[in-house]
Amino acid sequence: MPKAKKITSWMLFAFVFLIYAISASNTIAFWDSPEFITSSYTLQASHPPGAPFYTILCKVILSFFPATKAALISNLISGFFGALTITLLFRITINIAERVLSVTKSNYTALIAGIIAALTLAFSDSFWTASTEAEVYTLSFALMTGMIHIMLLWERELDKRKEMRYMLLFAFLLGISTSVHLILIAIVIPLSILIAPVSYTHLRAHETRHDL
């Protein structure tokens, strides 16, 4: 990724996280927020099927802060992963836009498209709310967008060794995601559409070389 796009993506992260940090509540919110804060701080199971990776991750972070700050820090953790999701969405949008647009138009148009897509999600009502309270949703979104971004990089990679690294990283994140929210298993279905053509092309190339 060109330097300008990398700088823009991390500027988006810093800006969005700052807004989420300012918007975050100092105490508990409605619905599952009090439960997740309590289960994370005491390292107990949350409601079925549970979110063990989220609980352990939050527990590690909360161990550096007093109990009086547990709610605020838990809310900021959601804001952090919400901002990370926005950064990954920005990169995904650029990746797709550069495939659709011509070379002469892709530079600035893809950058603008990425910024608009990222900020639209960042300040949508549901996502902004999820990013300012203790919930598993922003971590789930971060893992989901991370897996999509990795598979888009994998699809364009020509180096076999890097391809394998991307695939192993995808499998690792998929395994982690099941211990955050089980709905993320469904990401295998749309990504199989991306994997199938590439696998078929590789198979045909192998058969052609074998015939020769």
Side-chain angles (χ1 to χ4, degrees):
M1 178 180 289
K3 187 176 181 180
K5 295 174 184 176
K6 286 184 178 180
I7 293 174
T8 304
S9 67
W10 292 117
M11 286 179 62
L12 278 171
F13 173 85
F15 170 70
V16 171
F17 180 66
L18 178 63
I19 298 299
Y20 288 163
I22 295 172
S23 306
S25 173
N26 289 322
T27 183
I28 60 174
F30 289 109
W31 309 115
D32 296 333
S33 177
E35 177 195 356
F36 280 121
I37 295 170
T38 304
S39 63
S40 297
Y41 192 81
T42 59
L43 201 59
Q44 300 293 321
S46 55
H47 62 270
F53 179 75
Y54 173 84
T55 302
I56 294 171
L57 177 64
C58 290
K59 174 59 178 178
V60 171
I61 298 173
L62 290 175
S63 63
F64 295 98
F65 300 92
T68 55
K69 297 293 183 181
L72 174 61
I73 300 303
S74 297
N75 294 336
L76 291 177
I77 291 171
S78 292
F80 174 85
F81 286 111
L84 181 60
T85 301
I86 298 308
T87 301
L88 291 168
L89 178 62
F90 170 77
R91 297 189 177 197
I92 290 170
T93 305
I94 286 180
N95 191 305
I96 296 174
E98 288 177 342
R99 297 165 186 247
V100 176
L101 301 171
S102 62
V103 178
T104 56
K105 295 181 179 179
S106 62
N107 291 331
Y108 293 105
T109 307
L111 187 66
I112 294 172
I115 293 173
I116 292 174
L119 293 179
T120 299
L121 176 64
F123 300 116
S124 62
D125 181 68
S126 297
F127 193 82
W128 194 345
T129 301
S131 298
T132 55
E133 62 184 24
E135 264 289 2
V136 299
Y137 298 132
T138 56
L139 178 55
S140 299
F141 278 121
L143 289 168
M144 180 182 68
T145 51
M147 286 187 285
I148 294 173
H149 182 53
I150 288 167
M151 293 311 297
L152 288 174
L153 294 176
W154 170 84
E155 194 266 339
R156 301 183 75 174
E157 185 57 59
L158 300 176
D159 188 333
K160 297 295 182 181
R161 182 172 296 182
K162 289 185 178 180
E163 276 190 358
M164 183 57 66
R165 289 176 181 174
Y166 284 137
M167 190 59 72
L168 290 174
L169 181 57
F170 170 79
F172 175 71
L173 293 180
L174 182 62
I176 289 177
S177 67
T178 58
S179 60
V180 177
H181 204 294
L182 290 177
I183 194 63
L184 289 176
I185 298 175
I187 199 173
V188 173
I189 299 173
L191 288 183
S192 63
I193 301 173
L194 180 66
I195 295 172
V198 177
S199 301
Y200 178 77
T201 302
H202 288 176
L203 179 62
R204 292 292 297 171
H206 176 75
E207 290 178 348
T208 302
R209 287 196 301 267
H210 180 73
D211 293 339
L212 294 175

